[in-house]
Amino acid sequence: MTAVIEARPQLRIGSYAVDPPVVLAPMAGITNVAFRTLCREFGSSTAIYVCEMITARAVVERNEKTLHMMAFGPDESPRSMQLYGVDPKTLGEAVRIIVGEGWADHIDMNLGCPVRKVTRLGGGSALPYKRRLFANIVREMVAAAGEVPVTFKFRIGIDEDHHTYLDTGRIAEAEGAAAVSLHARTAAQLYSGKADWSAITRLKEAVTTIPVLGNGDIFTADDALRMMAETGCDGVVVGRGCLGRPWLFAELSAALRGEPVPEGPALGRVGEILIRHAELLVEHDGHDKAMRDIRKHMAWYFMGFPVGSELRRKFATVSSLDQIRELTAQLDPAAPFPTEAATGPRGRQGSPQAKVSLPDGWLEDPEDDTVPQAADVMHSGG
């Protein structure tokens, strides 16, 4: 049974009307300009598609690799960039540079990354535990951004004993954030288990003057409808559900506008989409890097389809565009989309962490606003 969403005001992020209320989540190694372009070709041009995570320190240092990662399509609007950092001053300076150079129209802040190399430095999903430090960050970023909207994406907390999301939402709201997004898992869960959508409901009840978006376990258009109906959130953020399925944005656009949801593509069409993805990667990164990049997408594109093991192996080791074209010609073009097998969880999940890696003494004083030593890193992309 399809969920019914009560009428609500149109989602706005700053001056941007987001219609339908859908955001592509930033994903390291995934949401480069090639993949974003592909998703936009299927979805609405007025949804938001966020680039990979960019470190504030790399922006300040004008790191060449990072500047390349910050590329946007010529007609991409709004240009949406996610920043990572721990030092309020560095984040503020990065925002001033981005705004001053006209590099982005919307800036999101990463407070959700749960991986060890990030949390052990006090970044990502570890950071909101330090309430004063987080407030300082929001204040610096919003002041530096001027008219450019700044949003914040975070998790429920570090683990079940250290929930932070309600305070995080209230602080972001009080300090001038344009919107907040909640991935309804703790850092300890990584991407395992089920997202707790009831936390999105509670955040929406606590944060009343800016939009609240929900994230976690949206693998179909109906999932998005259910999340909005059950939690009252103002929009949805889609991550792993679109891996190998950029056409999910066409389905989301239709469902959220009350239109018939298109059927999933047959295997021949998937092959065409795969070739288009590879061509866009070559255009952005050059041939060799593009071939290395596209390999990780193969299993996602063919999930559930009748593709033999030998053909799958060849796809996973492709070395040229011509080879991709030759291999796709061997697919059964009429094989229908395997709805049951291909619309469930995909991408990384991992096992829950017994303990989240944190800086020494991190949990002792949530009011301590000291920036952890060596917290600013240059590596963009997660």
Side-chain angles (χ1 to χ4, degrees):
M1 181 178 177
T2 301
V4 177
I5 304 174
E6 293 182 4
R8 62 193 70 184
Q10 183 181 58
L11 174 62
R12 300 191 72 87
I13 304 295
S15 63
Y16 296 99
V18 186
D19 180 29
V22 174
V23 175
L24 166 64
M27 290 179 282
I30 303 292
T31 58
N32 50 37
V33 66
F35 188 70
R36 296 197 314 274
T37 298
L38 196 60
C39 292
R40 288 175 66 244
E41 288 176 352
F42 283 99
S44 166
S45 62
T46 52
I48 289 182
Y49 305 85
V50 188
C51 79
E52 306 179 67
M53 183 187 82
I54 302 297
T55 66
R57 171 55 58 188
V59 172
V60 172
E61 299 292 339
R62 295 180 186 256
N63 176 268
E64 186 176 338
K65 178 182 176 183
T66 291
L67 294 180
H68 177 71
M69 289 174 62
M70 290 162 59
F72 290 96
D75 60 345
E76 193 168 353
S77 178
R79 296 163 300 164
S80 182
M81 183 182 301
Q82 188 185 65
L83 285 181
Y84 163 82
V86 180
D87 187 334
K89 299 298 183 186
T90 304
L91 281 158
E93 181 60 21
V95 172
R96 273 186 286 274
I97 291 170
I98 291 165
V99 173
E101 297 285 355
W103 286 341
D105 308 306
H106 161 232
I107 296 170
D108 186 56
M109 171 68 181
N110 182 317
L111 299 164
C113 184
V115 300
R116 181 180 185 278
K117 67 180 180 180
V118 169
T119 59
R120 70 181 176 84
L121 298 175
S125 51
L127 197 154
Y129 186 77
K130 298 294 193 180
R131 294 187 287 262
R132 285 181 57 197
L133 177 59
F134 173 58
N136 294 343
I137 285 172
V138 182
R139 196 175 305 120
E140 288 279 351
M141 292 180 70
V142 169
E147 297 300 312
V148 172
V150 182
T151 60
F152 296 83
K153 184 171 184 286
F154 45 90
R155 287 184 174 236
I156 289 175
I158 293 173
D159 52 34
E160 287 304 321
D161 294 324
H162 301 91
H163 284 193
T164 55
Y165 70 106
L166 294 179
D167 282 340
T168 306
R170 293 187 187 106
I171 291 168
E173 179 182 33
E175 297 293 345
V180 294
S181 304
L182 178 65
H183 181 171
R185 286 182 171 86
T186 64
Q189 284 182 269
L190 294 177
Y191 299 89
S192 66
K194 289 188 66 175
D196 179 9
W197 289 2
S198 68
I200 302 171
T201 304
R202 289 189 287 272
L203 182 63
K204 177 62 180 170
E205 292 168 350
V207 175
T208 59
T209 64
I210 59 174
V212 173
L213 285 72
N215 174 227
D217 294 352
I218 296 179
F219 300 112
T220 67
D222 192 57
D223 290 335
L225 292 175
R226 286 194 304 106
M227 176 183 280
M228 293 187 70
E230 291 177 14
T231 70
C233 67
D234 301 291
V236 296
V237 181
V238 181
R240 294 175 301 143
C242 68
L243 296 176
R245 288 177 62 212
W247 56 86
L248 177 60
F249 287 92
E251 299 171 5
L252 290 165
S253 292
L256 290 168
R257 290 172 172 168
E259 302 167 359
V261 176
E263 293 185 0
L267 186 53
R269 176 62 177 138
V270 171
E272 294 172 358
I273 296 166
L274 172 58
I275 292 171
R276 171 65 173 156
H277 190 172
E279 291 171 342
L280 288 166
L281 282 170
V282 170
E283 184 180 314
H284 176 56
D285 280 330
H287 185 272
D288 291 348
K289 186 175 186 301
M291 290 305 103
R292 292 193 298 271
D293 197 338
I294 196 66
R295 292 170 192 159
K296 67 172 171 276
H297 294 267
M298 297 300 186
W300 296 327
Y301 273 114
F302 298 131
M303 183 175 172
F305 279 105
V307 179
S309 58
E310 180 62 18
L311 191 53
R312 286 179 184 271
R313 185 192 64 77
K314 291 179 179 178
F315 270 113
T317 57
V318 291
S319 58
S320 73
L321 264 176
D322 285 341
Q323 186 182 10
I324 292 176
R325 295 187 181 105
E326 291 169 3
L327 293 174
T328 54
Q330 299 176 40
L331 299 170
D332 175 6
F337 184 73
T339 301
E340 292 299 319
T343 54
R346 51 181 57 215
R348 57 185 176 178
Q349 295 182 53
S351 301
Q353 302 176 83
K355 186 176 181 181
V356 177
S357 181
L358 300 168
D360 290 342
W362 190 251
L363 298 177
E364 291 175 3
D365 181 6
E367 300 303 324
D368 180 10
D369 62 359
T370 305
V371 177
Q373 189 174 8
D376 265 352
V377 295
M378 284 283 287
H379 178 66
S380 296

